[in-house]
Amino acid sequence: MLVGYQGEAGAFSEQAVLDLIPDARTRGFPSFDELVEAVSAGVVERGLLPIENSIYGAIARSYDLLWLHPELAVAGETRAHIVQALIGVPGATLEGLAEVRSHPVALDQCRRFLAGHPAWKRRSVEDTAGAVREIMERGDPAIAAIGSARAAATYGARVIVSAIQDDPQNFTRFFLIARGPSGAPSRSGRACLAITLPHRVGSLRDALDVFARTRINLRSLVSRPSGEGPFLYRFYCELEQCDEDVMRAALASLEGEVRVLGIY
Amino acid sequence: MLVGYQGEAGAFSEQAVLDLIPDARTRGFPSFDELVEAVSAGVVERGLLPIENSIYGAIARSYDLLWLHPELAVAGETRAHIVQALIGVPGATLEGLAEVRSHPVALDQCRRFLAGHPAWKRRSVEDTAGAVREIMERGDPAIAAIGSARAAATYGARVIVSAIQDDPQNFTRFFLIARGPSGAPSRSGRACLAITLPHRVGSLRDALDVFARTRINLRSLVSRPSGEGPFLYRFYCELEQCDEDVMRAALASLEGEVRVLGIY
């Protein structure tokens, strides 16, 4: 199975694909938009889309893309442990560094480590694995990247410090996306919904009440601009521990517009 | 009154300060973190912190900063209409442009316009007003910025196209922040809370039920990582149309940990 991810070879997302589907072939795309379009067009069979990082929070563009592509469905879920390494060219040393490059979120996850090296120039790039590729192309021992040990191995770079993130509890959650509903029965008892509610006091309470009464647990709730006017929202709910029939019955009694993004 | 904002002179945020407090003196700070620290340290009397854009959604770092600074309170709220202009040096023309610079969110808000000029190089910078200052310093008629007409006037630049954003309904909401609770009675009947809920089915429903039963309207609900473990959340609620005594009574009956970020 050919599975797409965002980033370059060696990205955390590529590792997450292989952890979920060990025999997958992988293909990287420059952006979330291009990844989602590739799944939609059948260029890849599945795509692994990050939806949330445990430190950074919800990844808004991913939710918006799921809404914008009703032909796609969430077919599964996985999480990856993100361990940021400080990576240099072979022969590079901590003492010899003058610049560090990475994705802004990766730089942000290593604030405390970087605060200990205030003289280093920091540069934001598109992708952690791309940062590793770039520093290897330049071959300058004064320039380091922050990224995965896998990226270092992919490009023959050297891990200078193996885990430099502030918080060791750093995880990213991903949705596996595919064209159309899978038709397969739910395996994990999970579902993801988009709900647009009527504008009145208590409408969100009423929606959550439907789930609580049927003992369906709400794992996450994300509000995003609905696009229908300033400061109107759509809610994305992830449900768990739910029997598919119980959930379908619950959905039927919800007020507002509901779209099932996936049952998996 | 000296009021801080994030950005450089001519920023949308500076205009929002002057719309809210016409006789304010203003001072720009490079980042949200530095703005909030300046309010906390008394360097400025108030700060105007953007919390949400109607297209982009909630500004996560602003909510996190409100949580990290319990010595600060929300003392008011305002919104600004964001109109993005294409700005060049005097004499610049649309035909002569080869590059455009702005904040990534501003570039994103002008996707359709920029799609019509695929040959232009796009460059992300920290700040829309800073982009205008930069192009004036360089003086190259091939380089344009995207920012406010106010920034163009501030730096003596030329508005080439006056409104290039995809969606004319582009607003940013701001909290006015100050040290300590103001002690003044609520003028707008609004409040902002942070709630950490117990981990059980229905806990969010129960919290929202307290508001719905007392006819308190929930204007916005934002979930953010709580920092207490992976995929545990804190909810930020904005309430409106609420009498302060009714709201205080409602809060007393909420389960979980509640912090009032401001009543205004």
Side-chain angles (χ1 to χ4, degrees):
Chain A
M1 182 186 284
L2 182 61
V3 181
Y5 63 93
Q6 186 271 324
E8 299 196 16
F12 288 106
S13 293
E14 188 190 31
Q15 184 62 56
V17 169
L18 296 170
D19 289 345
L20 185 66
I21 307 170
D23 59 349
R25 288 175 301 124
T26 59
R27 180 161 163 194
F29 292 89
S31 67
F32 296 158
D33 289 53
E34 286 158 282
L35 167 61
V36 167
E37 280 154 23
V39 180
S40 180
V43 173
V44 291
E45 287 170 77
R46 299 281 186 276
L48 200 68
L49 187 67
I51 52 154
E52 180 179 21
N53 174 268
S54 60
I55 298 168
Y56 174 81
I59 298 165
R61 185 69 190 158
S62 293
Y63 283 98
D64 292 350
L65 283 167
L66 286 173
W67 179 260
L68 292 170
H69 289 271
E71 75 282 11
L72 300 180
V74 178
E77 191 208 327
T78 190
R79 64 161 74 180
H81 189 194
I82 306 296
V83 180
Q84 301 288 6
L86 184 72
I87 297 166
V89 302
T93 61
L94 192 59
E95 295 69 32
L97 295 179
E99 181 180 321
V100 61
R101 298 180 181 191
S102 197
H103 188 277
V105 171
L107 292 168
D108 207 50
Q109 289 173 345
C110 304
R111 279 186 190 208
R112 278 204 292 272
F113 179 83
L114 293 174
H117 301 277
W120 293 356
K121 191 178 157 196
R122 292 169 209 187
R123 189 150 153 196
S124 294
V125 297
E126 295 290 311
D127 184 77
T128 56
V132 178
R133 181 184 49 72
E134 274 179 29
I135 65 157
M136 286 301 289
E137 284 170 6
R138 289 182 65 105
D140 183 341
I143 307 179
I146 293 174
S148 69
R150 180 184 172 83
T154 300
Y155 297 104
R158 173 171 182 254
V159 172
I160 302 173
V161 185
S162 62
I164 61 167
Q165 66 207 31
D166 294 354
D167 187 343
Q169 295 279 69
N170 183 1
F171 296 91
T172 296
R173 286 205 304 134
F174 298 84
F175 280 156
L176 185 70
I177 56 170
R179 271 172 300 163
S182 69
S186 167
R187 283 172 304 175
S188 63
R190 290 179 175 166
C192 183
L193 313 174
I195 307 183
T196 312
L197 293 168
H199 307 301
R200 60 164 179 76
V201 169
S203 64
L204 182 60
R205 183 268 319 256
D206 292 346
L208 299 186
D209 192 49
V210 169
F211 301 135
R213 278 190 283 112
T214 46
R215 309 299 302 163
I216 293 172
N217 192 36
L218 187 68
R219 291 179 70 203
S220 82
L221 180 71
V222 171
S223 62
R224 293 284 308 143
S226 71
E228 284 161 21
F231 308 117
L232 299 176
Y233 306 96
R234 183 176 298 118
F235 291 94
Y236 296 89
C237 304
E238 280 178 78
L239 309 176
E240 71 179 353
Q241 296 159 353
C242 58
D243 177 84
E244 192 165 337
D245 293 335
V246 170
M247 200 198 64
R248 294 261 176 216
L251 294 186
S253 67
L254 276 181
E255 240 192 312
E257 188 197 330
V258 180
R259 190 198 290 174
V260 178
L261 299 175
I263 299 174
Y264 44 96
Chain B
M1 182 185 286
L2 182 60
V3 182
Y5 63 92
Q6 186 271 323
E8 299 195 17
F12 288 106
S13 293
E14 189 190 29
Q15 183 63 56
V17 169
L18 296 169
D19 290 345
L20 184 67
I21 307 170
D23 60 350
R25 288 174 302 123
T26 58
R27 178 160 164 196
F29 292 89
S31 67
F32 297 158
D33 288 54
E34 285 158 282
L35 167 61
V36 167
E37 280 154 23
V39 179
S40 180
V43 173
V44 292
E45 287 170 78
R46 299 280 186 275
L48 201 68
L49 186 68
I51 52 153
E52 179 179 21
N53 174 267
S54 60
I55 298 169
Y56 174 81
I59 298 166
R61 186 70 191 158
S62 293
Y63 284 98
D64 292 350
L65 283 168
L66 286 174
W67 179 259
L68 292 171
H69 288 271
E71 75 281 11
L72 300 181
V74 178
E77 193 209 324
T78 189
R79 64 162 73 181
H81 189 194
I82 306 296
V83 180
Q84 302 287 7
L86 185 71
I87 297 165
V89 301
T93 62
L94 193 60
E95 294 69 31
L97 296 179
E99 181 179 322
V100 62
R101 297 179 183 192
S102 197
H103 188 277
V105 171
L107 291 168
D108 207 49
Q109 289 173 347
C110 304
R111 278 185 190 209
R112 278 204 293 271
F113 178 83
L114 292 174
H117 301 278
W120 293 357
K121 191 179 158 194
R122 293 168 209 187
R123 190 153 153 190
S124 293
V125 297
E126 296 288 312
D127 184 77
T128 56
V132 177
R133 180 184 49 73
E134 273 179 28
I135 66 158
M136 288 300 289
E137 284 170 5
R138 289 183 64 106
D140 182 343
I143 307 180
I146 293 174
S148 70
R150 179 182 172 83
T154 300
Y155 298 104
R158 172 173 183 253
V159 172
I160 302 172
V161 185
S162 61
I164 63 166
Q165 66 207 32
D166 294 354
D167 188 344
Q169 296 278 70
N170 184 0
F171 296 91
T172 296
R173 286 205 304 134
F174 298 84
F175 280 156
L176 186 70
I177 57 171
R179 268 172 304 164
S182 70
S186 168
R187 284 172 302 176
S188 63
R190 290 177 175 170
C192 183
L193 313 175
I195 308 182
T196 312
L197 293 168
H199 307 300
R200 59 164 180 76
V201 169
S203 65
L204 182 59
R205 183 270 316 259
D206 292 346
L208 300 186
D209 192 49
V210 168
F211 302 134
R213 278 189 282 113
T214 47
R215 309 299 302 162
I216 294 172
N217 193 35
L218 186 68
R219 291 178 71 204
S220 83
L221 180 70
V222 171
S223 62
R224 292 284 308 143
S226 71
E228 285 161 21
F231 309 118
L232 299 177
Y233 307 95
R234 183 177 297 119
F235 292 93
Y236 296 89
C237 304
E238 279 178 79
L239 308 176
E240 72 178 353
Q241 296 159 356
C242 57
D243 176 85
E244 192 165 336
D245 293 335
V246 170
M247 200 197 64
R248 294 261 177 215
L251 293 186
S253 67
L254 275 181
E255 240 192 314
E257 187 198 332
V258 180
R259 190 196 291 173
V260 178
L261 299 175
I263 299 174
Y264 45 96

